[in-house]
Amino acid sequence: MEVSASALDYLLIEAVPVARDVIEQLGIEDQDEAHHRIELYGYQVGKGLAQVFTRSRPRMVQQLEIIKFVCKNLWEVLYKKQMDNLKTNHRDTYVLVDHNFEFCRRMGTSLPPQATAELAYPYLCFPAGIIRGFLHAMGLSSTVTVEAPELPMVTFNVRIE
Amino acid sequence: MSKVRSVGEEVWKHKTDKINSELLTLTYGSIVAQLVADFDHDYAKVNKQLDKMGYNIGLRLIEELLAKTGLPRCQNFRDTAEAVAKVGFKMFMNITPTISNWSVDSKQFSLVFTENPLAEFVELPDKPNARDLWYSNIYAGVIRGALEMVQLQVEAEFVSDAVQDPSLPTEIRVRLVKVLEDEIPPGED
């Protein structure tokens, strides 16, 4: 079954004010707690997608194989394109780069890049969470951080623990 | 207004970027689950938050709907019901709820859903009061927000939900409160 892509866009855009609204109601001032919640929305989605994917294919075991799957298959399902670049130090650290991140393509502002990156950051916690959730479901515990000093280029730093 | 259904189908077929509904189901589900956890199973608060979220979406989504369809202003509330069910739900969710149970004064109707992409495979939390949760309450907010932008103040709320009780239909009641006045700038009449 299909739905319109903009239905999901509306939901993801609104997820940010919802997270802020919730922490305010809980009496929490630290905005990182809002970001944490958005990351958790993504984390659950990543876990769910891992279940969907693994229904119909043999289990992947190699770390690099799983990361490549994120860059190709997972990204294509989410954003209709693959990651543009993958770098690794071959010691549990991976850098995944999307040169033209779909969700941010229309996110231009007239602000300086640093300010724009700060505005975009909460929205990027969602895909970072998806990656962490997906990896977790594949048996890899990780931390995923995201930075986007030059939108729409977005960089995800994945460290397997 | 028999044309309305074809407008909705036309936009869905030719002017809509589509995604697998599973992605939307998972995303919505994860937001609801987090709200339930944050509000510690206070479902009244969860319902309110989902309604508010929908309202804010409705305020923006109507622009896309009007731009893509060029629908003329509705002549009466029956036209509005048709537009909500056959254009709104069709073009965003690819479903067409049935319009039923009109009140005698034509100011209230129900939308009855036989399918709901938001709630595919959903299981409610295993708590005694879980039936207080209107899982898809975001719809009620979207309807309220979108119609407010076309000068219709409405109330929208769930009456029953198959997620709670599979023997019941999924039904949203929509009530016209009043037609808002167009704001005419002073000195231009």
Side-chain angles (χ1 to χ4, degrees):
Chain A
M1 221 180 135
E2 290 183 309
V3 293
S4 98
S6 55
L8 181 61
D9 284 349
Y10 288 120
L11 194 59
L12 291 176
I13 292 168
E14 203 51 36
V16 173
V18 166
R20 288 180 179 145
D21 209 357
V22 168
I23 64 161
E24 196 186 312
Q25 289 178 59
L26 296 176
I28 302 169
E29 282 177 18
D30 184 359
Q31 282 304 308
D32 280 345
E33 281 293 317
H35 302 154
H36 176 55
R37 273 168 182 71
I38 298 159
E39 200 266 351
L40 282 176
Y41 302 153
Y43 176 77
Q44 292 299 337
V45 173
K47 267 176 41 179
L49 286 173
Q51 284 173 5
V52 175
F53 276 121
T54 49
R55 258 183 235 150
S56 56
R57 69 180 74 223
R59 183 146 186 97
M60 293 177 281
V61 282
Q62 277 210 324
Q63 208 177 86
L64 184 62
E65 187 189 12
I66 296 169
I67 298 280
K68 280 184 175 168
F69 190 88
V70 168
C71 294
K72 289 183 186 165
N73 310 55
L74 179 63
W75 224 242
E76 209 153 84
V77 165
L78 292 167
Y79 303 111
K80 294 184 175 167
K81 74 182 283 290
Q82 300 185 357
M83 285 275 186
D84 295 294
N85 202 344
L86 167 64
K87 279 181 229 156
T88 175
N89 67 351
H90 298 285
R91 283 185 311 166
D92 301 334
T93 301
Y94 298 87
V95 180
L96 287 57
V97 185
D98 187 334
H99 288 304
N100 195 8
F101 185 56
E102 205 249 359
F103 193 70
C104 292
R105 222 174 279 164
R106 286 153 292 168
M107 222 179 232
T109 70
S110 51
L111 301 166
Q114 180 59 28
T116 303
E118 274 169 31
L119 280 180
Y121 179 72
Y123 300 90
L124 298 173
C125 295
F126 182 77
I130 290 185
I131 295 175
R132 187 172 72 87
F134 185 88
L135 293 177
H136 188 262
M138 300 310 244
L140 298 176
S141 176
S142 68
T143 49
V144 180
T145 57
V146 58
E147 51 194 6
E150 289 171 76
L151 283 169
M153 181 169 102
V154 178
T155 304
F156 299 90
N157 300 294
V158 179
R159 201 182 149 74
I160 310 290
E161 287 164 347
Chain B
M1 281 305 267
S2 63
K3 269 172 63 186
V4 167
R5 177 181 284 271
S6 63
V7 169
E9 279 171 7
E10 191 69 10
V11 170
W12 170 256
K13 267 187 206 148
H14 302 297
K15 295 187 187 172
T16 304
D17 256 351
K18 302 170 187 74
I19 55 161
N20 190 317
S21 65
E22 217 150 5
L23 213 48
L24 183 75
T25 311
L26 281 170
T27 306
Y28 185 69
S30 73
I31 294 173
V32 177
Q34 187 63 41
L35 289 174
V36 168
D38 276 334
F39 291 136
D40 196 15
H41 296 267
D42 181 337
Y43 296 114
K45 282 188 185 166
V46 177
N47 292 341
K48 199 174 155 205
Q49 194 73 45
L50 292 172
D51 177 80
K52 182 179 177 186
M53 182 177 193
Y55 175 78
N56 288 329
I57 290 174
L59 295 178
R60 276 181 279 119
L61 154 158
I62 186 77
E63 257 181 68
E64 181 183 344
L65 184 148
L66 294 175
K68 282 188 174 167
T69 60
L71 269 191
R73 176 171 284 236
C74 293
Q75 294 302 308
N76 53 51
F77 203 46
R78 284 182 177 260
D79 286 357
T80 307
E82 296 271 317
V84 169
K86 294 171 186 170
V87 181
F89 275 97
K90 176 67 192 177
M91 75 180 262
F92 293 106
M93 301 303 288
N94 192 25
I95 53 173
T96 309
T98 309
I99 302 162
S100 66
N101 298 335
W102 275 103
S103 62
V104 181
D105 62 4
S106 290
K107 287 185 175 172
Q108 293 184 34
F109 63 91
S110 291
L111 294 170
V112 179
F113 300 76
T114 49
E115 48 183 350
N116 176 8
L118 285 186
E120 289 276 299
F121 315 115
V122 164
E123 280 174 40
L124 290 187
D126 190 15
K127 289 263 174 182
N129 64 336
R131 293 187 61 164
D132 296 339
L133 172 66
W134 295 119
Y135 184 84
S136 304
N137 213 35
I138 192 171
Y139 286 151
V142 170
I143 293 168
R144 188 164 64 85
L147 292 184
E148 189 175 297
M149 294 301 278
V150 290
Q151 273 72 46
L152 297 172
Q153 188 188 336
V154 303
E155 288 169 358
E157 60 183 26
F158 271 81
V159 178
S160 59
D161 189 345
V163 167
Q164 289 178 357
D165 182 345
S167 69
L168 294 174
T170 298
E171 177 179 344
I172 300 175
R173 193 80 181 143
V174 183
R175 204 174 293 117
L176 178 64
V177 178
K178 65 175 178 186
V179 179
L180 302 164
E181 299 289 322
D182 272 332
E183 295 209 356
I184 301 163
E188 280 188 28
D189 51 5

